[in-house]
Amino acid sequence: MIRITRDITIDEKDLDIAFVRASGPGGQNVNKLSTAAQLRLDVGRVTVEPDVWTRRTAFAVQRMTKDGVNVIHAQRCRTRERNRADAIDRLRELLREA
């Protein structure tokens, strides 16, 4: 379980995390390894109070698909584990701000 606030948690099963190739400079491994994390959260699969989703939708329209899937792309770090953790942290911050 991922704790967002005291009252809100998200099951890790509701997150879809895929690893893709990172763009930009990165040395020899940038074209060989898929280290960037792409986190997808389907709003319909998570049970959260409706007012939280309304505020989050208004706050993060640019990160949401037409189907209501929130997408966060993390490629700041060189490893999969760190990029995965960065994507989850960014989701946590996005939901806390909402």
Side-chain angles (χ1 to χ4, degrees):
M1 294 298 269
I2 299 171
R3 180 158 303 281
I4 306 300
T5 65
R6 184 177 48 125
D7 301 326
I8 300 173
T9 58
I10 295 178
D11 192 351
E12 287 195 45
K13 296 176 198 172
D14 294 330
L15 300 178
D16 180 26
I17 300 177
F19 294 99
V20 296
R21 289 186 180 164
S23 62
Q28 294 176 344
N29 286 334
V30 74
N31 293 323
K32 297 179 197 173
L33 302 176
S34 299
T35 57
Q38 188 177 55
L39 181 147
R40 299 174 69 84
L41 173 65
D42 187 353
V43 175
R45 293 192 313 189
V46 180
T47 55
V48 177
E49 297 176 22
D51 62 327
V52 173
W53 286 130
T54 303
R55 288 191 307 264
R56 187 207 37 91
T57 301
F59 186 74
V61 172
Q62 71 274 9
R63 292 188 185 109
M64 185 174 285
T65 66
K66 292 178 184 177
D67 299 328
V69 176
N70 197 9
V71 179
I72 296 176
H73 190 78
Q75 62 178 16
R76 296 178 189 169
C77 305
R78 291 182 177 243
T79 65
R80 286 182 172 197
E81 294 80 21
R82 287 185 180 170
N83 282 326
R84 180 183 186 281
D86 182 39
I88 291 172
D89 288 343
R90 289 167 53 192
L91 174 68
R92 210 178 261 134
E93 280 302 311
L94 183 69
L95 293 176
R96 282 183 185 152
E97 290 176 16

